[in-house]
Amino acid sequence: MRTQVAIIGAGPAGLMLGHLLHLSNIDSIIIENRAKDYVIERVRAGVLEQGTVDLMIASGVGDRLKRDGLRHDGVWLAFNGERHRIDFLGLTGKSVVVYGQNEVVKDFIAAREASERPLHFEVSDVRVRDVESARPKVCLQKDDDEHEIVCDFIAGCDGFHGICRPAFPSGFLQCYEKDYPFAWLGILATAPPSSEELVYALHERGFALYSMRSARVTRLYLRCAPDEKISEWPDDRIWEELQTRLGTKDGWRINRGTITQKAVTPMRGFVADPMRFGNLFLAGDAAHIVPPTGAKGLNLAAADVRFLTHALVAYYKTGSSDELNNYSAKCLKRVWKAQRFSWWMTSMLHRFGTANDFDYRRQIAELDYLTGSRAAMTSLAENYVGLPIE
Ligand code: FAD
Ligand code: DHB
């Protein structure tokens, strides 16, 4: 098989890249080791920055997003039993859209299928070869047969546990890591949201987040231990804990319903530098992950893909590698700002293992300052709706 760009991974990064390249008449083959239904059903992120929304609409995959996406013009911060709103629209002129990552993936798979360009699920034993040469190769197994893709470039969009980043020669990559001593227990419930906008809460018992997916589905998160056993969280305990952490003095109550999914999400910050070796380029979680407070992961993947598309289009149009050479530095500049924001939101809203009352009171003071200062609220809002994609 021969193509211009071999894309490893059909998560948001790989699918978006394949679609944007298609619109620029650049050939690609996307390979994915999981089954199509598994990729579509994986419940993950839910908040799209305006730039990600614009990308989907401008590239012709925004119809369902425009119909079903929930535009949010602000967000609530809850502490001391009270809620304070951050008005994104008023402070920045921008909003975010709540639309599940699985819906994003579904839309891009549909666009790929309509383009009739190759997208192969359930491949195995994926390996990259000769990435420093002008003819890099991807080898794989499909239905017990061995295949080889010869290409100009490989896009490593295979997530944090993929094979592309480990294929960089040892010592070439500088990896920066931050571990957080807690995790999130996330649930999906069939219950109409009882708040129109998201609520991030700091409570003595720990962080909680109120989010949603539609007029009928609520998405909620609780801070928990990294090794938390889901079996110790029967539904009633989850609802009680959420009510305790998110409840306010005005008597606001969470609508309960049937819990359809429970999972523990670990928290880590990670950045690999550079995001390129030879003709192998990393994008999205393959290169960096952020703790989820602030919902940046999926949006960072979308920004990388935009930069990479521009660079590849410039290369095929003009023969110039300048933008490809700038790719990593350009992405990482933005990635570090999102890493900083996610770290700051996480630190402000979570009780750390070693924390004492001093830290808690300092956190409350920070939230009190933040919600009383237009300058501080603008800073949060600017980052939350998404920093510019230059
Ligand atoms: P991925 O979505 O990980 O996609 C990578 C794809 O590559 C996968 O489909 C994988 O199966 C495939 N793959 C892996 N190895 C191979 C291989 N060898 N060959 C072929 N294919 C391969 N972000 C938020 O903003 N908010 C959240 O609430 C949130 N929750 C999350 C919960 C979990 C459990 C996880 C893991 C992530 C969460 N994130 C969240 C982060 C967000 O979902 C990611 O940033 C986003 O999925 C990144 O997209 P990606 O395409 O780079 O990587
Ligand atoms: C969601 C996830 C996040 O990490 C976040 O900060 C806000 C919302 C969500 O899944 O809806």
Side-chain angles (χ1 to χ4, degrees):
M1 287 188 274
R2 174 81 183 92
T3 191
Q4 290 172 297
V5 184
I7 301 176
I8 305 181
L15 290 164
M16 284 181 189
L17 179 63
H19 182 64
L20 297 182
L21 293 178
H22 159 69
L23 296 180
S24 298
N25 291 317
I26 297 172
D27 274 344
S28 65
I29 297 176
I30 308 180
I31 56 166
E32 163 64 49
N33 59 3
R34 301 290 195 154
K36 180 173 160 183
D37 286 351
Y38 179 91
V39 171
I40 288 178
E41 277 155 30
R42 214 162 20 191
V43 179
R44 286 187 176 178
V47 179
L48 307 186
E49 294 174 357
Q50 185 127 18
T52 309
V53 171
D54 294 346
L55 177 146
M56 288 185 65
I57 293 172
S59 66
V61 289
D63 289 349
R64 283 194 329 124
L65 169 65
K66 279 192 274 184
R67 194 189 66 205
D68 300 336
L70 307 169
R71 193 182 104 183
H72 284 204
D73 295 339
V75 76
W76 295 95
L77 297 179
F79 57 96
N80 277 346
E82 282 172 7
R83 269 203 209 163
H84 304 260
R85 185 163 184 266
I86 312 281
D87 177 7
F88 296 156
L89 191 62
L91 293 164
T92 69
K94 294 182 184 160
S95 309
V96 294
V97 173
V98 172
Y99 188 67
Q101 178 168 328
N102 52 329
E103 305 299 338
V104 172
V105 164
K106 212 186 281 176
D107 293 338
F108 279 100
I109 290 180
R112 185 70 181 182
E113 288 173 348
S115 77
E116 297 185 2
R117 292 192 189 266
L119 164 56
H120 302 289
F121 290 99
E122 297 183 78
V123 306
S124 58
D125 199 15
V126 177
R127 288 143 286 147
V128 295
R129 298 256 187 279
D130 305 332
V131 295
E132 275 187 292
S133 80
R135 288 279 168 276
K137 294 164 197 77
V138 178
C139 306
L140 60 114
Q141 297 262 331
K142 170 88 184 153
D143 302 327
D144 295 330
D145 292 326
E146 176 78 13
H147 297 273
E148 186 182 74
I149 304 171
V150 182
C151 54
D152 302 331
F153 301 102
I154 300 173
C157 302
D158 51 348
F160 186 65
H161 299 289
I163 54 102
C164 290
R165 194 181 66 252
F168 281 42
S170 69
F172 181 79
L173 267 185
Q174 181 86 41
C175 293
Y176 302 90
E177 266 185 273
K178 177 143 188 85
D179 271 323
Y180 294 86
F182 40 76
W184 282 6
L185 171 65
I187 66 149
L188 202 60
T190 311
S194 44
S195 166
E196 283 191 3
E197 293 176 338
L198 270 59
V199 186
Y200 288 88
L202 171 66
H203 187 270
E204 275 181 323
R205 294 176 60 83
F207 170 84
L209 169 60
Y210 194 90
S211 182
M212 62 215 67
R213 288 292 177 269
S214 70
R216 283 177 298 113
V217 177
T218 316
R219 175 86 170 137
L220 300 130
Y221 299 93
L222 284 171
R223 175 210 192 275
C224 65
D227 56 355
E228 195 79 37
K229 291 192 184 63
I230 292 181
S231 57
E232 288 173 13
W233 284 90
D235 295 5
D236 282 349
R237 179 175 176 211
I238 293 180
W239 289 121
E240 286 301 319
E241 194 62 31
L242 284 165
Q243 183 62 48
T244 304
R245 295 189 195 181
L246 285 158
T248 40
K249 287 180 202 152
D250 61 11
W252 177 77
R253 294 202 65 78
I254 293 172
N255 285 337
R256 298 186 180 194
T258 309
I259 297 182
T260 52
Q261 209 247 4
K262 291 181 199 172
V264 173
T265 303
M267 293 237 182
R268 194 186 284 132
F270 176 89
V271 180
D273 184 351
M275 291 167 58
R276 170 198 188 170
F277 174 64
N279 287 317
L280 168 59
F281 292 80
L282 303 179
D285 277 19
H288 42 74
I289 49 174
V290 289
T293 334
K296 288 288 157 237
L298 168 60
N299 295 294
L300 277 180
D304 287 355
V305 162
R306 267 164 83 147
F307 291 146
L308 187 52
T309 304
H310 279 295
L312 290 167
V313 169
Y315 171 81
Y316 282 114
K317 270 203 183 134
T318 67
S320 163
S321 298
D322 289 354
E323 288 212 37
L324 287 170
N325 294 339
N326 285 336
Y327 169 72
S328 177
K330 214 167 152 182
C331 291
L332 288 173
K333 210 170 153 194
R334 201 170 181 282
V335 164
W336 274 111
K337 288 182 184 154
Q339 200 68 254
R340 183 213 64 86
F341 177 67
S342 307
W343 162 83
W344 173 71
M345 284 282 280
T346 303
S347 311
M348 178 171 65
L349 290 162
H350 291 75
R351 302 205 67 182
F352 282 64
T354 53
N356 51 32
D357 285 347
F358 180 94
D359 291 311
Y360 183 61
R361 278 158 203 275
R362 177 186 49 74
Q363 286 171 306
I364 296 288
E366 179 159 16
L367 283 160
D368 197 19
Y369 161 68
L370 167 65
T371 52
S373 155
R374 188 176 172 89
M377 285 192 286
T378 306
S379 169
L380 186 154
E382 264 171 11
N383 281 276
Y384 200 100
V385 300
L387 294 175
I389 300 174
E390 285 144 27

